[in-house]
Amino acid sequence: MEIPATPRPADATRAGTAAPTPPARGPRPGATLAVTAAATAVALMNYTAPMLTLPAMAAAFHTPASAQAWLLNGTPLGLAVLLLVAGSLADAHGRRRVFLLGTLALGVTTALGALADSTLTFTLARTAQGAASAAVLAGSLGLLAQAHPAGRDRIRATGVWGAAVSGGIALGPLLAGALSLLDWRLAYGALGAAALAIAAAGTRALAPDTTKAARPARPDLPGAVTLGLALASLLTALTLGRDGWLRAPVGLLLLASAALTAAFVAVEHRSRTPMIDLALLRRPAFLASTLGALFTGLAVIGLFSVVPALLQSGAGMSPLGAAWLFLLWSGTAFAVALQARRLAGRLSAPYQLALGFALSAAGVLALLGGLDGPWPRLLPGLLTAGAGSGLLNAALPRLAVDSVPPQRAAMGSGANNTARYIGSSAGVALTLALAATDPNTALLASAALALAGAALTLALGRLVRARPHRRTPPTAPGATPLTRPTPASPTPPAGRRC
């Protein structure tokens, strides 16, 4: 007997039966982690590439010493101003959409940076790259929170993402140093092409958005404008400070920055759709995340953004030689960030931040007097500071996501990274100003700021521990105390928290 053939969807439609609708594609944790980590790494490579190309760029653009900070600070300026806006847009309009648009824009603007012919045009291109990177970073952590449930999966995913941050920081100067042997512009062309390739892959790999708001709110443009003006005033004051801190323009710019910061706070209080919910700062965990990111930028990123240039000018190293030494610091940070998830069940995120700051301060102090000497003298300090940076990079994204409600994950990511890049912008300008007099002064300032960050996050960690039931729900076994468990999660055994 002949068996009737199974009708194809088109045949079923002609027969009057509707074809089955394919199920909606859900989150794909592995693909989401791979794409977001790759895009994050490229964004950070683009961020750190000028650390090695700064002398060549300054020579090509005839940039005076007093303006060289802007060649480094264009990207963190764009990041700091638009990260909170990007986080709000990601929560309202979809994290996938914002992430992909940011990755595409990063590729285009990075390629345009390779064609710049002056300090102004390169700085503008870098600012646009920072704006695009803001969308990448804000969207990526939101996508990770959506694809990975709270607990061990999220700890692993944010640990890999933190390692991608450290990996991008490590590889950016190495790529720039290698390609600068031919032409410093090649690094930016290569990074632009990589970002465009990741954007193309993301359109196929990422699941459709499921987090878009029913009525998307308008972005908080007044808040972005006041924050941007406050940060620009601060950076200009710190840049001019190298020629004299007691001059009238420096004082006026610092006052303007303080006034604009107050205006930003007032705007956020009155806005119906603020970039950041200031009430979250009452949460010890969120405050630890924000201050930890701020001091990471001030004490760690600000200094090590300038160290390669100091090695070239002080010790007379080639760009590639300085890149390999820098890789000791950033490569150690990458390895430690990748393994730091093993501490999650033993050490809470705020305490991990405090330990990271303490190690960073110890490593920086070990560099005193060595930036103009033989390179073996620098190895212990670079390795110790790198371990501290890795702990910071692993703890910050986990704490940023877990210290806010799930539906505000992108905003929490944006607030954390905004604080990080505000700190790094100010840290770069401050380090360049202090290093113009004596590099050891810049090292001492970095160590002091790291110790201040350790003290603050340690105090906030104790406050989180003292009030766990008021601020955070009970944790699942092996999870960070700030992670939200599923309702079926058992109460953790005694003695697991630090």
Side-chain angles (χ1 to χ4, degrees):
M1 182 177 66
E2 183 178 357
I3 300 175
T6 301
R8 298 188 302 269
D11 298 330
T13 302
R14 283 194 294 268
T17 303
T21 302
R25 204 164 34 127
R28 302 171 61 188
T32 299
L33 179 58
V35 170
T36 54
T40 298
V42 169
L44 269 296
M45 289 175 70
N46 175 70
Y47 175 82
T48 57
M51 297 178 186
L52 263 294
T53 60
L54 179 61
M57 289 188 302
F61 299 147
H62 305 290
T63 309
S66 60
Q68 289 182 14
W70 288 109
L71 295 176
L72 294 176
N73 273 337
T75 293
L77 177 62
L79 275 164
V81 172
L82 290 180
L83 264 169
L84 286 171
V85 173
S88 298
L89 289 175
D91 287 331
H93 296 277
R95 296 160 186 173
R96 178 182 186 272
R97 176 182 298 179
V98 169
F99 172 82
L100 290 177
L101 287 176
T103 308
L104 177 63
L106 178 62
V108 173
T109 55
T110 302
L112 290 175
L115 305 176
D117 59 358
S118 68
T119 301
L120 177 60
T121 55
F122 185 80
T123 300
L124 291 175
R126 293 284 293 170
T127 303
Q129 292 160 29
S133 298
V136 172
L137 296 179
S140 62
L141 272 180
L143 286 169
L144 286 182
Q146 176 181 321
H148 295 269
R152 292 185 182 274
D153 285 346
R154 182 177 292 179
I155 291 172
R156 184 186 69 84
T158 54
V160 172
W161 189 89
V165 171
S166 298
I169 292 172
L171 294 176
L174 191 61
L175 175 70
L179 294 181
S180 67
L181 297 175
L182 300 174
D183 189 342
W184 64 266
R185 298 177 185 271
L186 291 177
Y188 301 98
L191 290 172
L196 292 175
I198 293 170
T203 58
R204 299 177 61 86
L206 297 176
D209 279 316
T210 60
T211 58
K212 291 184 287 186
R215 291 185 177 181
R218 294 181 180 180
D220 183 14
L221 294 182
V225 170
T226 52
L227 179 62
L229 291 175
L231 182 56
S233 299
L234 176 62
L235 296 183
T236 305
L238 293 176
T239 301
L240 295 177
R242 64 182 296 158
D243 296 326
W245 294 100
L246 299 180
R247 295 184 302 143
V250 176
L252 290 174
L253 285 167
L254 290 175
L255 288 175
S257 179
L260 287 165
T261 301
F264 169 73
V265 172
V267 167
E268 296 305 284
H269 271 300
R270 295 186 179 185
S271 175
R272 293 182 178 180
T273 56
M275 291 192 300
I276 179 172
D277 182 2
L278 297 177
L280 289 174
L281 293 174
R282 299 172 187 168
R283 297 187 176 195
F286 184 79
L287 188 57
S289 169
T290 304
L291 289 178
L294 178 67
F295 277 87
T296 296
L298 281 169
V300 181
I301 302 176
L303 173 67
F304 284 93
S305 295
V306 181
V307 161
L310 295 177
L311 290 173
Q312 293 178 64
S313 61
M317 289 187 179
S318 66
L320 191 56
W324 282 113
L325 264 188
F326 184 84
L327 184 63
L328 287 176
W329 171 76
S330 53
T332 303
F334 171 79
V336 171
L338 200 58
Q339 296 300 319
R341 67 181 185 275
R342 303 180 188 277
L343 294 175
R346 303 176 177 89
L347 197 65
S348 67
Y351 284 10
Q352 186 174 318
L353 288 177
L355 178 60
F357 280 125
L359 287 174
S360 182
V364 169
L365 290 174
L367 298 177
L368 284 171
L371 293 180
D372 56 356
W375 65 266
R377 160 80 170 73
L378 303 173
L379 296 184
L382 291 173
L383 292 173
T384 303
S389 180
L391 291 176
L392 294 172
N393 287 336
L396 283 172
R398 175 159 54 101
L399 190 53
V401 170
D402 289 338
S403 61
V404 296
Q407 68 274 17
R408 303 295 284 168
M411 187 276 294
S413 163
N416 184 274
N417 283 295
T418 294
R420 184 196 298 245
Y421 293 111
I422 287 176
S424 67
S425 299
V428 164
L430 181 62
T431 300
L432 283 173
L434 295 176
T437 304
D438 181 4
N440 289 325
T441 304
L443 293 175
L444 288 172
S446 172
L449 288 168
L451 291 175
L456 286 171
T457 51
L458 183 62
L460 289 167
R462 289 177 176 173
L463 192 57
V464 171
R465 183 184 179 187
R467 297 188 289 172
H469 299 292
R470 292 180 59 185
R471 296 303 180 189
T472 56
T475 58
T480 170
L482 299 175
T483 301
R484 300 178 195 84
T486 58
S489 297
T491 302
R496 290 297 298 271
R497 288 182 183 165
C498 292

